[in-house]
Amino acid sequence: MDDAAEQTRQLLEAMNAHGGHAGALGFELVELGVEGVVLKTPYRAELVGDPDTGVLAGGVVTALLDHVSGQAVFAACSTPGSIATLDLRIDYMRGAEPGRDLFAHAVCYKVTRSVAFVRATAYEASPDDPVATAQSAFMLDANAGRKIGANLKPAR
Amino acid sequence: MSSPDLAALLERIPYARFLGLRAELAGDEMTAVLPFGQHLIGNPMLPAIHGGVLGAFMELTALAQLSIAQGQARQPKPIDVTVEYLRSARPVTTFARAEVRKLGRRIANVHVEAWQDARASPVAFLRGHFLVTPREG
């Protein structure tokens, strides 16, 4: 693996390991390459959405697909700067199987000057039998040269 | 649905507890409340709330509003959702309200709006279809 790819790997792993939501959900980087990014989230009882069935919450699938899609943008651009999700569309084909780890694969298939487009799939065993699929668009360099966090100032 | 019923409904959903979701009820109008916590952060450099958390929060708000609109024999299942992000969500409490735009025998269409300091400056929208199973009678 060359230096740039190794740097991306370290960046993605650091994003997953910090104390935020990715860390709280236990996201792990499984694969990183030209084919995109694969993440895993281990099954845990506290992430269940319907206690009658033990199926993972749709929201967990949403968070996983959002996260893996963002990581695919980082994998596809050498210097995306700070990125922001513009929109995310998710289709849920079926409930995730109770007790099984959930994987998600994302490919950033087009990058323009300001926007990156991503497709993603969540599955347990194979992307051919998806739990959910996602289509999203990300804004690149969301800070647009301003200081990080400048867009977070309270509205006046 | 009464406030204790709504609290019990959310309490039964493990992921809602994991996020720290609460809800307030005024008549049939519900406001979902997501107090900020470190476990909700997406970008630690800003810090901002994870986009996936906002999506999950609004999805749970839609599910709860569907249960208020009509008793559900089983928990509604999401079919598709579209999340639109308008601005970064800061590390403060987030609120959401859902509106059931159409409640059919099998499918419901729900729109959700999430905001922080001012409702007029929403941070995100969600539109979704849910598979419903209305309680008989």
Side-chain angles (χ1 to χ4, degrees):
Chain A
M1 186 177 277
D2 61 26
D3 284 356
E6 182 52 33
Q7 267 182 14
T8 304
R9 171 176 294 277
Q10 286 176 9
L11 172 70
L12 299 191
E13 282 177 344
M15 282 165 70
N16 296 340
H18 77 77
H21 201 61
L25 292 183
F27 293 166
E28 292 167 31
L29 183 64
V30 177
E31 243 179 80
L32 166 66
V34 285
E35 300 293 312
V37 176
V38 177
L39 289 185
K40 174 176 118 172
T41 187
Y43 183 87
R44 266 157 54 201
E46 59 185 335
L47 304 183
V48 163
D50 187 346
D52 295 335
T53 59
V55 170
L56 284 178
V60 173
V61 182
T62 304
L64 176 64
L65 285 169
D66 180 273
H67 198 75
V68 77
S69 299
Q71 296 218 311
V73 177
F74 280 102
C77 311
S78 47
T79 53
S82 175
I83 65 169
T85 321
L86 285 178
D87 63 54
L88 171 71
R89 146 93 186 204
I90 302 182
D91 293 304
Y92 299 92
M93 276 91 218
R94 59 180 175 84
E97 283 176 38
R100 296 190 66 180
D101 298 343
L102 193 65
F103 293 83
H105 172 225
V107 181
C108 177
Y109 62 92
K110 177 69 185 172
V111 179
T112 71
R113 227 156 57 103
S114 324
V115 183
F117 299 89
V118 183
R119 272 192 285 266
T121 308
Y123 57 93
E124 301 97 346
S126 157
D128 297 336
D129 182 19
V131 168
T133 59
Q135 166 80 50
S136 53
F138 289 82
M139 200 168 139
L140 303 178
D141 191 19
N143 302 321
R146 292 174 301 167
K147 254 176 35 188
I148 281 179
N151 57 336
L152 293 176
K153 296 233 170 71
R156 268 180 229 165
Chain B
M1 179 174 278
S2 67
S3 291
D5 288 348
L6 179 60
L9 178 105
L10 293 174
E11 184 60 30
R12 256 175 57 75
I13 302 176
Y15 187 57
R17 288 203 304 269
F18 180 83
L19 288 175
L21 181 75
R22 292 190 289 110
E24 286 157 13
L25 200 57
D28 65 348
E29 227 177 43
M30 179 196 68
T31 306
V33 183
L34 184 68
F36 176 72
Q38 291 296 325
H39 66 300
L40 305 180
I41 284 183
N43 185 338
M45 293 202 319
L46 295 176
I49 293 177
H50 198 288
V53 169
L54 287 178
F57 172 51
M58 292 190 290
E59 206 173 296
L60 286 164
T61 305
L63 290 178
Q65 187 67 53
L66 280 169
S67 295
I68 291 168
Q70 186 177 25
Q72 296 290 324
R74 283 192 296 279
Q75 197 185 88
K77 293 190 178 84
I79 300 166
D80 61 62
V81 299
T82 304
V83 187
E84 296 164 15
Y85 297 93
L86 284 83
R87 35 176 76 78
S88 295
R90 297 180 304 115
V92 297
T93 301
T94 311
F95 304 94
R97 267 195 195 172
E99 191 186 342
V100 179
R101 300 294 274 265
K102 163 80 195 279
L103 185 55
R105 289 173 51 79
R106 291 190 294 166
I107 309 278
N109 177 297
V110 188
H111 289 200
V112 187
E113 199 176 318
W115 73 95
Q116 295 188 318
D117 300 322
R119 187 150 187 205
S121 306
V123 292
F125 296 128
L126 176 144
R127 285 172 296 150
H129 293 104
F130 295 82
L131 201 60
V132 292
T133 40
R135 201 165 269 153
E136 295 299 320

